[in-house]
Amino acid sequence: MDLQAAHDLAVTLAVQAGRLQLERRDTLRVGAPKAHANDVVSDVDIASERLIVDAITAAWPDDAIQAEEGHGHPGTSGRKWVIDPLDGTRNYISRTGPWSVCIALYDGDRPLVAVVHEPVADETFSAITGTGATLNGEPTLATSERPLAEALIGVSFQPNPRTKARAGRVLNDLLPHSGDIRRLPAALNLAYQAAGRLDGGVCLDTNLWDIAAGALIAREAGVTLGGPTHDFTTELTIGAAPALWPALSERVRASA
């Protein structure tokens, strides 16, 4: 597969889905909650996912697709596209914060391509493995050297009762020792770390489609990522600029 072609198609589709979301925001319809009362989905989530899945399937019919709203399918190539058509649906519906379109390509367990597009700001974070990360086509690096006491930390978590209790423990320990926090959808948490807007971040109890694209972009920008042990997981993803990593990871692991 031509990874540049895969990257360029993913960027195009993410931007198209973002435009659809902006155009249909005033007429969206919200469906019944999924896993819990705060797990909402709209007709725009579903339309965005179909737009992306249909185009990828037409271009690479042998690739598997894992998509949040259920339009995925198995494949035979060994490659898998991981798609969150609208990460931050509650923000989108309530008009209280940012959201993004997320597309990642894996070969087995190895990430190859990632795109996170923020429609309102018209910002596209992307990466091809081994070539660095970009923001709207320009290279971006995580270069912060702020200590934890001055650091701005992103926090992302699923709003179900169990995870909210877990997040409360982490925040109770982290907030007094950090500069400040921002709650964000997981993909933008990681993308903003890649751009140096956040010094570090924590994601609790996510799904693969929430973090797959953002994680590759963050790593390609120089963010250190980990989880309960060496590598990050959907249960716990910690990210930080290298200078901040030891202090942030030690404190989060102790409370998470």
Side-chain angles (χ1 to χ4, degrees):
M1 173 183 277
D2 182 341
L3 293 186
Q4 188 64 54
H7 168 275
D8 293 349
L9 178 61
V11 168
T12 297
L13 294 175
V15 171
Q16 289 176 352
R19 289 193 188 119
L20 182 152
Q21 291 160 14
L22 292 171
E23 291 167 358
R24 292 181 54 173
R25 200 176 191 189
D26 291 334
T27 60
L28 68 87
R29 297 190 303 276
V30 180
K34 296 186 288 184
H36 52 81
N38 289 313
D39 188 10
V40 293
V41 62
S42 75
D43 62 327
V44 179
D45 294 70
I46 294 168
S48 300
E49 184 167 292
R50 284 177 175 158
L51 182 159
I52 296 166
V53 170
D54 287 352
I56 289 174
T57 300
W60 289 286
D62 296 330
D63 290 359
I65 292 181
Q66 181 179 355
E68 180 178 12
E69 306 306 336
H71 296 95
H73 54 72
T76 59
S77 67
R79 296 185 298 267
K80 176 175 68 177
W81 294 84
V82 182
I83 299 163
D84 190 339
L86 204 166
D87 183 44
T89 298
R90 195 66 182 267
N91 283 358
Y92 174 71
I93 291 170
S94 63
R95 298 175 181 260
T96 54
W99 75 91
S100 67
V101 182
C102 310
I103 304 173
L105 172 64
Y106 276 70
D107 184 1
D109 294 330
R110 187 168 70 97
L112 300 176
V113 170
V115 174
V116 173
H117 175 67
E118 205 278 77
V120 173
D122 194 22
E123 291 185 330
T124 304
F125 305 83
S126 69
I128 299 173
T129 187
T131 66
T134 64
L135 169 54
N136 289 346
E138 297 297 323
T140 185
L141 288 171
T143 58
S144 171
E145 295 187 358
R146 294 187 186 92
L148 182 58
E150 300 173 8
L152 188 61
I153 307 298
V155 178
S156 309
F157 55 90
Q158 295 288 343
N160 60 63
R162 184 186 70 84
T163 303
K164 285 194 288 187
R166 186 180 179 212
R169 294 192 298 271
V170 172
L171 289 172
N172 185 63
D173 186 62
L174 179 62
L175 186 55
H177 300 279
S178 61
D180 204 351
I181 64 163
R182 295 291 183 272
R183 187 179 176 197
L184 293 161
L188 287 175
N189 187 344
L190 291 159
Y192 288 173
Q193 291 176 56
R197 298 173 185 174
L198 295 173
D199 303 296
V202 181
C203 303
L204 300 172
D205 295 337
T206 60
N207 298 293
L208 181 60
W209 50 71
D210 299 317
I211 60 172
L216 177 59
I217 293 165
R219 274 198 166 148
E220 287 292 319
V223 175
T224 301
L225 292 180
T229 55
H230 174 68
D231 207 359
F232 70 92
T233 67
T234 54
E235 176 189 5
L236 175 63
T237 299
I238 308 166
L244 178 63
W245 171 257
L248 180 62
S249 60
E250 180 180 4
R251 184 158 292 279
V252 171
R253 283 170 173 164
S255 57

